[in-house]
Amino acid sequence: MFIYNTMSRSKEQFNPIKPNRVKLFVCGPTVYDDSHIGHGRTYIAFDCIARFLRYQGYSLFYLQNITDVDDKVIKRAREKGTDPLVLAREYERRYLADMKALGVKNVNLYARATEHVPEIIVQIKILLEKGFAYETETGVYFEESKFPDFGKLSRRKLEDLTVHRVDPDPSKRSPGDFALWKKIDKQPSWDSPWGRGRPGWHIEDTAITEEYFGSQYDIHGGGLDLIFPHHEAEIAQMESASGLKPMVRCWMHTGFLNVKGEKMSKSLGNFITIRELLQRWDGDVFRFLVLSTHYRSPIDFGEEALIQAHNSLERVRKTLKKLDELLKSNLDDEGSSNVKNIEIWDEAHKKFIEAMEDDFNTPQALSVLFEIVRNINRQMQNEIFTKSSITRIKILFEEWGEILGINFLPGEKQERTDDVLNILLDVRNQLREKKEWELSDKIRSQLKDLGFGLEDN
Ligand code: AMP
């Protein structure tokens, strides 16, 4: 498998530190507002990457942080007259619900910054002891010039960086130095060897990754905008604290979701929240739109792109539905075309996997999928399908759908849900006949939690 590494600006063969195990960290959201579909783009891309790594047999630990304390959270809480941590919990809950609605289900652990303050303090202490950081009356800062590699990810020279930056904090030795700890008395704040305060932005990620992964791991991801200064700062912190290089084997960055050529962002006001989008469109349609573009390329978002994604997805679903009808129509299971058909599908699957192994090339994988859809439609006219070839195709689309996180056979799922429900209802009726009220009521109330109302009459 080959993955593009931002550090080397080239595709590299993927070799995790421990064979068959992958530690993946992706920067999570700052929870002060609802997430927009630009965030959705990045998290869908990494969800698909996680799915494929698992499909390939890797035992994957996918970690994401939640930035639940920072200036934006505090400012928004003040505007709303609420406590910053209460506000952060509410937006975290909404973020997780949005992710679920988009089929983003592969993160093993969400780690909140506020729950890792002791680990953050330990890392800052080490940086101070080793002479990479200094304390002033306003906080503790990382001294950029002490880390000669600063700029290696973004390929910027330290001199250029420092000269162009203007910083209002006069207590820093150089404008490029960044805060590890901010001395602040107001809530939310924590005790530390440097008085009450709260962590800087960059340090939460390295403290969290060191806690769960150690000082070196396999993949670090995020949007392109995080390369500088955030990821650069992370490298400086972690490699200085541990003395080990490189901090990660592979840096992966997603391209932006743009609107009329500009990055969708809260500050530009050109955003649509995930919630707004999902009121009008199926989550699978948005996933389809996102995965139709390679994760490193920009997406030009607009209503037309959504309509196109919707139509393409419908084309696949309709084709599979027609096949299903054929399957139910007492089709023969023998026929000379049988073997040849299966070879075609196996060959297509091979191509699909090869595309994914080539830096998760989802547009290429989707073009294999559409070639097959065209092929099926052509063959349907010649009526050369057999039961086993249709079953093979359905398995193929189920597998591809699992990798991409898109349900190509929605009717199928509904039918199976109905079947499972019928089994449950049958068991419950038998329980009622035996007057096992407690258990039968439990089934009813748990079904209600899932949105299925049940009335006995
Ligand atoms: P933030 O909460 O702003 O730190 O963003 C969370 C993640 O979403 C980061 O990895 C960002 O790079 C990514 N992101 C933000 N805006 C966009 C966008 N318009 N397109 C793609 N990714 C984005």
Side-chain angles (χ1 to χ4, degrees):
M1 185 151 77
F2 284 80
I3 306 182
Y4 183 89
N5 186 353
T6 310
M7 185 63 87
S8 67
R9 303 285 195 277
S10 63
K11 276 189 213 170
E12 294 172 2
Q13 183 148 25
F14 180 57
N15 285 313
I17 295 170
K18 283 192 184 166
N20 299 324
R21 293 214 190 160
V22 180
K23 291 172 179 170
L24 163 69
F25 174 74
V26 175
C27 291
T30 307
V31 280
Y32 72 103
D33 204 346
D34 279 332
S35 304
H36 59 65
I37 57 172
H39 301 127
R41 188 264 159 109
T42 288
Y43 296 124
I44 287 173
F46 282 106
D47 181 71
C48 179
I49 287 165
R51 282 167 186 264
F52 187 64
L53 288 168
R54 293 214 169 103
Y55 180 85
Q56 290 293 76
Y58 289 109
S59 158
L60 170 73
F61 187 166
Y62 179 3
L63 174 67
Q64 225 181 72
N65 68 308
I66 298 276
T67 304
D68 56 350
V69 57
D70 97 326
D71 293 345
K72 286 185 217 151
V73 177
I74 294 165
K75 184 167 172 271
R76 181 58 55 88
R78 206 168 291 147
E79 286 163 7
K80 292 197 164 191
T82 178
D83 180 81
L85 290 183
V86 171
L87 178 106
R89 290 296 170 270
E90 175 59 11
Y91 281 112
E92 175 190 300
R93 190 188 62 73
R94 291 169 72 91
Y95 165 73
L96 295 176
D98 289 350
M99 289 302 112
K100 200 169 165 194
L102 291 179
V104 172
K105 295 176 181 165
N106 285 280
V107 176
N108 294 79
L109 183 72
Y110 289 99
R112 295 172 179 150
T114 55
E115 287 172 2
H116 293 81
V117 175
E119 289 83 1
I120 290 171
I121 290 174
V122 167
Q123 211 170 65
I124 298 174
K125 268 188 183 168
I126 292 171
L127 289 170
L128 275 166
E129 278 162 22
K130 289 194 169 183
F132 289 101
Y134 59 90
E135 185 184 352
T136 73
E137 67 273 19
T138 57
V140 181
Y141 296 91
F142 187 93
E143 193 164 1
E144 213 181 45
S145 62
K146 291 274 169 72
F147 186 71
D149 277 355
F150 203 94
K152 66 179 172 182
L153 183 66
S154 55
R155 301 199 172 179
R156 301 182 194 201
K157 287 203 196 84
L158 195 57
E159 309 86 76
D160 303 343
L161 294 175
T162 316
V163 171
H164 293 300
R165 262 188 269 167
V166 187
D167 199 298
D169 188 345
S171 75
K172 294 198 309 191
R173 291 183 188 163
S174 163
D177 297 350
F178 54 87
L180 299 170
W181 189 261
K182 298 179 181 179
K183 294 184 182 175
I184 294 163
D185 220 359
K186 277 189 269 172
Q187 284 297 352
S189 60
W190 289 261
D191 283 328
S192 82
W194 319 285
R196 279 196 80 78
R198 58 184 160 87
W201 176 34
H202 313 303
I203 196 79
E204 70 178 72
D205 287 7
T206 46
I208 285 170
T209 52
E210 189 178 19
E211 170 70 7
Y212 299 100
F213 290 169
S215 50
Q216 292 180 297
Y217 55 99
D218 302 300
I219 306 177
H220 189 317
L224 269 183
D225 52 335
L226 298 186
I227 295 179
F228 182 84
H230 186 48
H231 291 163
E232 209 70 81
E234 276 192 54
I235 295 172
Q237 290 165 172
M238 196 65 251
E239 294 188 0
S240 302
S242 72
L244 297 171
K245 294 175 190 195
M247 167 187 151
V248 292
R249 290 219 163 167
C250 185
W251 284 92
M252 295 182 73
H253 292 98
T254 50
F256 295 143
L257 181 137
N258 294 327
V259 184
K260 297 192 179 110
E262 270 188 313
K263 178 193 169 207
M264 177 172 284
S265 73
K266 284 272 150 76
S267 52
L268 289 174
N270 60 350
F271 63 90
I272 300 174
T273 64
I274 293 170
R275 274 158 197 256
E276 284 162 352
L277 183 97
L278 291 177
Q279 278 172 5
R280 293 191 299 122
W281 295 91
D282 178 357
D284 272 346
V285 170
F286 184 61
R287 258 189 106 99
F288 194 95
L289 182 153
V290 167
L291 298 175
S292 303
T293 300
H294 189 265
Y295 76 87
R296 284 191 283 118
S297 304
I299 293 178
D300 232 341
F301 179 80
E303 196 71 12
E304 256 174 49
L306 276 168
I307 294 170
Q308 209 178 338
H310 171 263
N311 292 346
S312 303
L313 185 56
E314 274 307 292
R315 190 141 48 95
V316 182
R317 286 179 171 167
K318 274 189 189 145
T319 303
L320 294 178
K321 199 158 181 265
K322 272 192 264 170
L323 272 186
D324 221 26
E325 280 157 13
L326 210 59
L327 191 64
K328 285 178 189 141
S329 67
N330 276 333
L331 205 66
D332 259 351
D333 200 17
E334 293 311 318
S336 55
S337 57
N338 191 6
V339 176
K340 191 168 159 274
N341 268 342
I342 288 180
E343 274 172 9
I344 294 173
W345 316 133
D346 287 349
E347 185 58 29
H349 188 54
K350 207 170 133 239
K351 281 193 194 156
F352 185 99
I353 298 299
E354 277 168 7
M356 292 299 291
E357 283 174 338
D358 180 14
D359 194 26
F360 309 99
N361 194 336
T362 51
Q364 181 61 32
L366 282 173
S367 81
V368 173
L369 184 146
F370 274 103
E371 181 57 42
I372 285 297
V373 169
R374 275 192 293 276
N375 200 322
I376 293 170
N377 282 317
R378 259 199 313 270
Q379 294 206 23
M380 209 118 59
Q381 286 158 13
N382 302 334
E383 297 175 348
I384 56 170
F385 280 100
T386 60
K387 255 187 192 169
S388 51
S389 64
I390 293 182
T391 307
R392 175 76 185 104
I393 292 168
K394 282 176 68 176
I395 291 171
L396 200 60
F397 275 82
E398 243 174 68
E399 234 169 287
W400 291 350
E402 269 302 313
I403 292 172
L404 300 170
I406 295 172
N407 185 7
F408 292 116
L409 304 138
E412 186 84 357
K413 215 166 215 168
Q414 184 57 48
E415 269 174 38
R416 281 203 213 164
T417 307
D418 290 349
D419 291 346
V420 174
L421 269 181
N422 283 333
I423 295 172
L424 257 181
L425 295 185
D426 190 36
V427 170
R428 185 171 171 276
N429 282 339
Q430 290 179 40
L431 286 171
R432 281 167 56 80
E433 275 166 25
K434 291 184 185 161
K435 303 206 177 345
E436 301 248 14
W437 308 118
E438 205 180 317
L439 206 49
S440 75
D441 284 350
K442 194 174 170 193
I443 293 176
R444 181 171 57 187
S445 97
Q446 291 191 346
L447 282 174
K448 191 166 173 232
D449 289 346
L450 293 177
F452 297 105
L454 188 58
E455 275 176 40
D456 296 303
N457 52 34

